[in-house]
Amino acid sequence: MATETPPPPDPALLAAYRAAEYVIPVGGRICRIKVDRPTPAPFDAWLDAEGPAGWLTAFNPGSRRLPILENLKRHQALWRRLQAEGLTASAGYAGDPAGIWPDETSLLVPAIGLARLHRLALEFGQLAFLWLEAGEPARLWLTDLSGGRPVPTGPGHGGPGAGGGRGS
């Protein structure tokens, strides 16, 4: 499901990624994850048990809005790809507190590994994804459009948005 290579995100788009709320049910509770913030206790306990995880969507590749039916087809293709690779996933969504972007169905994928997550993000035309580890804040990573290594953002990484962005 390769798509045209999207351009790097502009600062406003990067701020929107960082301001988003990533919502997932874990252990009978709804957990709300924010970039560069500590994860909720039930989610952190889940990460401690499951190991590092990735957060990925197939919706709106390159942050270009697609019709809902196209997005749902893309989501289904990502789900099938994960299953074919022997991975499990839980469905959640990313929400825009400003209400500019519609919610995006997303997948929380344990035991995926950062390089594999990056490869899938590139394959599904995504500009960014989340990396989650127990005891660590949620981290936003940008895909390397040349196919190299992903680029971390936020405090302590020195990448785009380091120490800045709206946070939230």
Side-chain angles (χ1 to χ4, degrees), residues 1 12 19 38 63 68 72 78 83-84 93 95 103 107 116 122-123 135 140 155 165:
M1 197 156 230
S63 290
I68 188 66
L72 290 172
L78 174 57
Q83 287 179 321
Y93 71 92
D103 292 347
L107 295 171
R116 198 174 194 186
L122 284 171
E123 182 178 334
L140 177 70

Side-chain angles (χ1 to χ4, degrees), residues 100-167:
I100 296 168
W101 281 88
D103 292 347
E104 291 186 348
T105 300
S106 305
L107 295 171
L108 174 65
V109 187
I112 186 170
L114 186 58
R116 198 174 194 186
L117 181 64
H118 182 240
R119 178 183 50 79
L120 285 167
L122 284 171
E123 182 178 334
F124 283 85
Q126 299 303 306
L127 298 178
F129 57 87
L130 294 186
W131 182 248
L132 304 144
E133 295 181 79
E136 296 291 325
R139 297 291 184 210
L140 177 70
W141 288 68
L142 300 179
T143 55
D144 179 343
L145 302 178
S146 71
R149 296 184 134 172
V151 180
T153 70
H157 288 290
R166 289 193 318 198

Side-chain angles (χ1 to χ4, degrees), residues 1-148:
M1 197 156 230
T3 61
E4 188 177 299
T5 302
D10 66 31
L13 188 56
L14 184 58
Y17 292 162
R18 297 176 68 73
E21 185 174 66
Y22 302 87
V23 182
I24 187 83
V26 171
R29 302 210 33 205
I30 300 297
C31 294
R32 299 176 188 284
I33 300 163
K34 303 286 278 186
V35 172
D36 294 332
R37 298 278 178 105
T39 57
F43 188 78
D44 202 51
W46 181 86
L47 286 170
D48 196 39
E50 296 291 326
W55 183 280
L56 182 63
T57 186
F59 272 44
N60 302 317
S63 290
R64 293 183 306 265
R65 291 184 196 188
L66 294 178
I68 188 66
L69 290 178
E70 179 63 25
N71 277 327
L72 290 172
K73 287 178 189 175
R74 294 177 56 76
H75 174 75
Q76 187 175 40
L78 174 57
W79 183 269
R80 284 188 191 130
R81 172 59 55 83
L82 292 170
Q83 287 179 321
E85 292 189 15
L87 295 166
T88 62
S90 298
Y93 71 92
D96 176 8
I100 296 168
W101 281 88
D103 292 347
E104 291 186 348
T105 300
S106 305
L107 295 171
L108 174 65
V109 187
I112 186 170
L114 186 58
R116 198 174 194 186
L117 181 64
H118 182 240
R119 178 183 50 79
L120 285 167
L122 284 171
E123 182 178 334
F124 283 85
Q126 299 303 306
L127 298 178
F129 57 87
L130 294 186
W131 182 248
L132 304 144
E133 295 181 79
E136 296 291 325
R139 297 291 184 210
L140 177 70
W141 288 68
L142 300 179
T143 55
D144 179 343
L145 302 178
S146 71

